[in-house]
């Protein structure tokens, strides 16, 4: 009798996207609130990296080997979310990807792959303003999120919160000077 047991899938909270400027569009909060839960539904796939144009042409359904999980429930908008306002959800990562995703969470982000309608002729911060989300292909683990998506592990919250400094310019200057003095002293010694 041969029995093989899987360590099982792992649930992790994620932030799919924040309102504001992304790499492809400006995402108004009201659009994310209205359309996000109906577009990013339970079962929406999560891949490692966005597919390239060539990969999409070759395999439009996605690469099974890069499939890391899926949304466990419909996304929801949370104005007071742990990582600020945005579209949140629960991700179910497969047992083979979960350890890697968890380990790299502090250095990566989540990014949507979706379609929508832009406001005719309107731009904000150099990108079109999204009028409506119409479909979702996936929410993917990427090296840099274009619009504030993240995996909400303790490590990710720590690393992401460190990116926003509350230090004054004077405090930063003193810290840099101290580091330089320490490095010079160590080099001379």
């Amino acid at each position: 009798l041969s029995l093989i047991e899987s360590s099982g899938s792992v649930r992790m909270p994620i932030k799919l996207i924040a309102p504001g400027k992304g790499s492809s569009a400006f995402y108004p909060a009201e659009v994310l609130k209205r359309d996000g839960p109906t577009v990013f539904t339970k079962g929406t796939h999560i891949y490692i990296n966005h597919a390239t144009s060539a990969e999409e042409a070759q395999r439009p359904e996605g690469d099974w080997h890069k499939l890391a999980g899926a949304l466990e429930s419909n996304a929801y908008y949370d104005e007071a979310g742990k990582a600020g306002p945005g579209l949140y959800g629960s991700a179910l990562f497969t047992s083979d990807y979960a350890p890697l995703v968890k380990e790299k969470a502090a250095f990566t982000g989540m990014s949507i792959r979706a379609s929508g309608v832009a406001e005719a002729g309107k731009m904000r911060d150099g990108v079109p303003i999204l009028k409506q989300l119409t479909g979702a292909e996936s929410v993917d683990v990427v090296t840099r999120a274009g619009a504030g998506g993240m995996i909400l592990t303790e490590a990710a919250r720590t690393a992401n919160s460190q990116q926003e400094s509350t230090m004054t310019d004077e405090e930063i200057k003193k810290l840099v000077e101290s580091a330089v003095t320490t490095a010079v002293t160590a080099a001379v010694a």
Side-chain angles (χ1 to χ4, degrees):
L1 180 63
S2 175
L3 299 173
I4 300 172
E5 298 293 329
S6 168
S7 60
S9 300
V10 176
R11 289 171 181 80
M12 291 184 214
I14 61 171
K15 182 176 183 182
L16 286 72
I17 188 169
K21 183 183 179 188
S23 54
S24 303
F26 184 89
Y27 301 93
E30 58 273 8
V31 173
L32 296 178
K33 286 177 195 177
R34 182 190 67 223
D35 301 338
T38 60
V39 171
F40 293 99
T41 57
K42 179 179 181 176
T44 299
H45 281 177
I46 299 172
Y47 292 95
I48 299 298
N49 293 321
H50 288 315
T52 65
S53 297
E55 289 170 331
E56 280 191 40
Q58 184 180 26
R59 191 175 285 119
E61 71 282 1
D63 186 341
W64 183 87
H65 295 283
K66 292 183 177 183
L67 181 60
L71 290 182
E72 186 177 34
S73 59
N74 292 359
Y76 59 93
Y77 193 86
D78 190 348
E79 193 70 48
K82 290 180 181 180
L87 199 57
Y88 288 81
S90 177
L92 191 60
F93 288 100
T94 61
S95 59
D96 55 338
Y97 276 110
L100 290 172
V101 169
K102 197 171 189 177
E103 181 180 350
K104 294 180 180 184
F107 316 110
T108 60
M110 299 299 297
S111 182
I112 66 169
R113 220 172 103 224
S115 53
V117 177
E119 290 189 30
K122 293 189 179 179
M123 303 282 279
R124 184 160 176 194
D125 297 332
V127 292
I129 300 172
L130 186 68
K131 179 179 176 181
Q132 179 184 11
L133 276 168
T134 57
E137 292 296 319
S138 60
V139 180
D140 301 333
V141 181
V142 296
T143 56
R144 294 204 195 294
M150 65 181 67
I151 302 157
L152 298 172
T153 64
E154 288 302 318
R157 281 198 293 267
T158 301
N160 286 310
S161 64
Q162 288 174 352
Q163 290 176 0
E164 296 179 22
S165 176
T166 56
M167 295 176 72
T168 66
D169 288 342
E170 187 61 33
E171 290 170 323
I172 293 170
K173 183 179 174 186
K174 286 180 183 177
L175 183 62
V176 170
E177 288 172 353
S178 173
V180 169
T181 301
T182 302
V184 169
T185 304
V188 172

